[in-house]
Amino acid sequence: MAKKHEPFVIGDVSVTAGTQLSVKLPAAKLYNDTPMDLHVEVFHGTKPGPTLLVCAAIHGDELNGIEICRRLLGRVNAKTLTGTLLVVPIVNVFGFIQQSRYLPDRRDLNRCFPGSAKGALASRLAYLFSSMLVKRATHIVDLHTGAIHRENLPQIRCDTDDETMLAMANAFGAPVVMSSKARDGSMRGYANSLNIPCILYEAGEALRFSDISIKSGLSGVLNVMRCIGMLKGKVKATHSVNASRSYWVRSEADGLVNIKLKLGERVSKGQVLANIVNPLGGEPFSLLAPTDGIIIGNSNIPVTNEGEALFHIAQFSGDEIEIINDNLDDFMQEYA
């Protein structure tokens, strides 16, 4: 006889097996006494299994993840689900309202984990999220975009030395997997300290929707759910290649930026990435690629000062540069 799946209790709400329920966790209040809630969509499956937390907008201006979560809600049925899915489309509700990366006190929520019940606003929100959701999860997918005016090629960042995280990353199917240790104070770092595998998806730009980033992100989350046994079906063939390292190419002059290569393009050592020109005329300065690689991030502002980061280049070992080049073509065709 199959083991009965007990209700999932969150806050003062009990979610019975085979049901979906919207739960609102009181977070704080605005200055005018308007309450702000942390909205959690709970899918409690009919069979016991993993508890996957999918969250977005820890930085309030990162919108692609919110749309991924919205579409995910329409693709999951609690009656056919194994385990429990927790979806939080907007973690930083304050930043989202203000279209800002930060909280009203200018703190970065993703540097405040695990937080404190008696701290300032950022610390209290981090504590609520940590205690009510992170600690309940067995696996986590954290959805992000690039910062404002910076765009990222869809990529996964995680500790690739961890077998579970690497399996989740490869199942997700983003073109690039970056080996990345979590930063102190980040939600991912806190989860990893509890031995909860957490992968971070980076794609697109803040305050902008990217159709490719959203489509591939939704497909990736569903693939992870299949990988850890929450959904039936095979994991789709992946396009992922692990990068050996990455670095930013910084401007070596001041002026206007005429970009020659775009996001996702392959670069060769010594190739011109951009010409930087004086708006009043004169000879251009050619910014060259220091190594072979793939452009996985870039600035979208066509003006620069010396020292500003313009291109994020990932390097790949051996024949993997050829593989990632071919896989990117397939990836773009599938999700464009």
Side-chain angles (χ1 to χ4, degrees), residues 114 126-136 190:
Y127 178 80
L128 173 68
F129 193 76
S130 298
S131 59
M132 299 296 288
L133 295 162
V134 174
K135 286 185 175 181
R136 306 290 300 281
Y190 176 63

Side-chain angles (χ1 to χ4, degrees), residues 4-314:
K4 182 181 178 181
H5 201 188
E6 298 297 328
F8 185 86
V9 179
I10 178 170
D12 58 359
V13 178
S14 179
V15 186
T16 57
T19 64
Q20 173 188 351
L21 193 64
S22 297
V23 179
K24 294 183 178 181
L25 302 175
K29 291 184 178 181
L30 298 178
Y31 298 128
N32 63 356
D33 204 39
T34 301
M36 298 292 288
D37 297 326
L38 191 64
H39 184 116
V40 186
E41 201 70 21
V42 181
F43 295 80
H44 193 43
T46 54
K47 299 177 182 178
T51 297
L52 174 66
L53 170 61
V54 180
C55 58
I58 283 182
H59 296 130
D61 59 357
E62 298 182 0
L63 307 183
N64 284 326
I66 300 174
E67 178 63 9
I68 292 169
C69 288
R70 188 192 69 81
R71 296 185 187 188
L72 178 63
L73 300 182
R75 294 291 298 273
V76 178
N77 185 343
K79 296 184 182 301
T80 58
L81 181 69
T82 297
T84 304
L85 174 65
L86 308 174
V87 183
V88 184
I90 306 169
V91 180
N92 182 356
V93 289
F94 301 92
F96 175 69
I97 291 171
Q98 297 295 326
Q99 299 180 14
S100 169
R101 177 184 180 90
Y102 305 106
L103 286 158
D105 57 5
R106 297 298 297 169
R107 283 187 170 88
D108 185 336
L109 180 59
N110 210 28
R111 299 294 179 269
C112 297
F113 285 87
S116 168
K118 297 181 179 180
L121 176 61
S123 188
R124 288 175 184 245
L125 183 56
Y127 178 80
L128 173 68
F129 193 76
S130 298
S131 59
M132 299 296 288
L133 295 162
V134 174
K135 286 185 175 181
R136 306 290 300 281
T138 60
H139 303 75
I140 301 175
V141 178
D142 187 17
L143 304 172
H144 286 258
T145 76
I148 192 166
H149 304 310
R150 282 191 181 178
E151 186 174 6
N152 283 331
L153 184 75
Q155 59 196 264
I156 291 290
R157 299 179 185 179
C158 68
D159 181 357
T160 56
D161 292 333
D162 183 280
E163 291 184 3
T164 302
M165 281 188 266
L166 182 59
M168 292 169 64
N170 287 330
F172 197 99
V176 177
V177 175
M178 300 290 301
S179 180
S180 169
K181 301 294 184 182
R183 293 187 177 185
D184 291 342
S186 68
M187 189 275 287
R188 179 163 68 102
Y190 176 63
N192 292 169
S193 74
L194 300 176
N195 295 317
I196 300 169
C198 175
I199 63 172
L200 189 151
Y201 176 61
E202 282 272 3
E205 178 186 0
L207 294 178
R208 299 287 184 273
F209 270 172
S210 162
D211 207 37
I212 288 177
S213 300
I214 293 166
K215 288 179 180 178
S216 63
L218 174 61
S219 175
V221 173
L222 293 171
N223 255 355
V224 168
M225 293 180 71
R226 296 184 187 101
C227 173
I228 63 178
M230 297 182 73
L231 294 179
K232 294 181 179 179
K234 294 182 179 180
V235 176
K236 292 175 63 178
T238 70
H239 305 270
S240 303
V241 177
N242 294 358
S244 58
R245 66 179 290 262
S246 69
Y247 61 91
W248 278 93
V249 178
R250 296 182 177 275
S251 176
E252 298 178 32
D254 309 299
L256 305 178
V257 183
N258 291 325
I259 292 178
K260 299 300 180 184
L261 294 175
K262 298 178 181 179
L263 198 67
E265 289 196 81
R266 179 176 176 176
V267 301
S268 301
K269 182 178 179 179
Q271 189 172 0
V272 177
L273 299 171
N275 286 323
I276 301 173
V277 298
N278 187 312
L280 302 179
E283 291 297 316
F285 176 87
S286 295
L287 187 66
L288 307 180
T291 67
D292 296 348
I294 299 288
I295 299 175
I296 62 169
N298 63 256
S299 170
N300 284 329
I301 303 177
V303 295
T304 187
N305 288 117
E306 186 175 355
E308 289 183 351
L310 295 182
F311 297 92
H312 192 190
I313 295 179

